[in-house]
Amino acid sequence: MTILYTTPAPPYYAVIFTSVLAKNVDGYIEMAERMEALARKQAGFLGIDSARSDVGITVSYWQSLEDIDRWKADAAHLVAQDQGRRQWYQSFATRVARVERDNFFALDDSANSTDR
Amino acid sequence: MTILYTTPAPPYYAVIFTSVLAKNVDGYIEMAERMEALARKQAGFLGIDSARSDVGITVSYWQSLEDIDRWKADAAHLVAQDQGRRQWYQSFATRVARVERDNFFALDDSANSTDR
């Protein structure tokens, strides 16, 4: 069963990465998987959700802006970002946002829905 | 060509909605399309990005928290939210976040990349 990420109580930070792929996506999936595995090991990493239709959306969750900046500047990540600009992406947008409130719902929970 | 939403300069707000569908999704696509069309007409609406793989992610962008609250309380939207909880969603999470910085990239732009 697919499980959504549950994150600690706000405030925390989200990086919203939306993208449209270019025609030549050789090596893209492998690199994306490698970057996700690497992100999970970073200090302050809280979770990641990812989906792709016409547009790809990846939202990663972090404890602080400093954690996000450190991950952005990671050496292996910089190489991937550079190849993304040169080859894989037709376009992308990155948004860094402070999560101020959240709400979770699950059918099987006795609580059913939680505002916080 | 698929185009990503460009939003005005920060700060603005994002609603990050992640979901896992339940088994019975009768009527879901129609309702989702109707809600997206309705969201686009709301005051303060800035844009929306949507994708689905195992997990569905919809990120909508808004001028203010008040705009988000008004859309959350919209009568037709309340009916859809209720049906979502009763029928369509195995689980979901809603996160309201303040976008503090963003960055856009497009292959055809002469500018290529914009930090702000």
Side-chain angles (χ1 to χ4, degrees), chain A:
Chain A
M1 194 175 78
T2 309
I3 300 283
L4 291 173
Y5 258 96
T6 47
T7 31
Y12 54 89
Y13 288 83
V15 179
I16 304 162
F17 181 75
T18 53
S19 66
V20 177
L21 292 175
K23 278 176 196 142
N24 178 3
V25 292
D26 289 357
Y28 172 72
I29 297 208
E30 295 73 12
M31 180 67 97
E33 284 173 357
R34 208 166 345 135
M35 283 307 113
E36 183 173 323
L38 197 57
R40 287 172 190 274
K41 292 181 191 164
Q42 301 305 303
F45 175 87
L46 300 177
I48 188 165
D49 291 308
S50 214
R52 179 167 294 280
S53 300
D54 290 345
V55 170
I57 306 178
T58 297
V59 188
S60 57
Y61 309 104
W62 302 86
Q63 242 151 31
S64 72
L65 286 175
E66 292 68 35
D67 296 324
I68 291 169
D69 289 340
R70 207 179 307 118
W71 169 231
K72 189 183 177 187
D74 172 272
H77 192 196
L78 283 175
V79 171
Q81 290 171 55
D82 182 56
Q83 195 168 357
R85 274 188 215 91
R86 283 186 294 104
Q87 183 192 338
W88 293 317
Y89 295 117
Q90 165 66 38
S91 57
F92 65 73
T94 307
R95 293 177 173 91
V96 176
R98 183 178 187 270
V99 178
E100 306 203 336
R101 59 182 203 234
D102 57 16
N103 168 283
F104 294 91
F105 166 85
L107 263 191
D108 0 276
D109 272 12
S110 53
N112 235 3
S113 186
T114 319
D115 269 306
R116 57 185 197 183

Side-chain angles (χ1 to χ4, degrees), chain B residues 3-105:
Chain B
I3 301 284
L4 291 174
Y5 258 95
T6 47
T7 32
Y12 54 89
Y13 288 83
V15 179
I16 305 162
F17 181 75
T18 52
S19 66
V20 178
L21 292 175
K23 279 177 196 140
N24 177 4
V25 292
D26 290 355
Y28 172 73
I29 297 207
E30 295 74 10
M31 182 67 97
E33 284 174 356
R34 210 170 340 137
M35 284 307 114
E36 183 173 325
L38 197 57
R40 287 172 190 272
K41 292 180 190 165
Q42 302 305 303
F45 175 87
L46 300 176
I48 188 166
D49 290 309
S50 214
R52 179 168 292 282
S53 300
D54 290 345
V55 171
I57 307 178
T58 297
V59 188
S60 56
Y61 309 103
W62 301 85
Q63 240 151 35
S64 72
L65 286 176
E66 292 68 36
D67 297 324
I68 291 169
D69 289 338
R70 206 180 306 119
W71 169 232
K72 188 183 178 187
D74 172 272
H77 192 197
L78 283 175
V79 171
Q81 290 171 57
D82 183 57
Q83 194 168 356
R85 275 187 215 92
R86 283 187 293 104
Q87 182 192 338
W88 293 315
Y89 295 116
Q90 165 67 39
S91 57
F92 66 72
T94 308
R95 293 177 172 91
V96 176
R98 183 178 188 272
V99 178
E100 307 201 336
R101 59 182 203 233
D102 57 15
N103 169 283
F104 294 91
F105 166 86

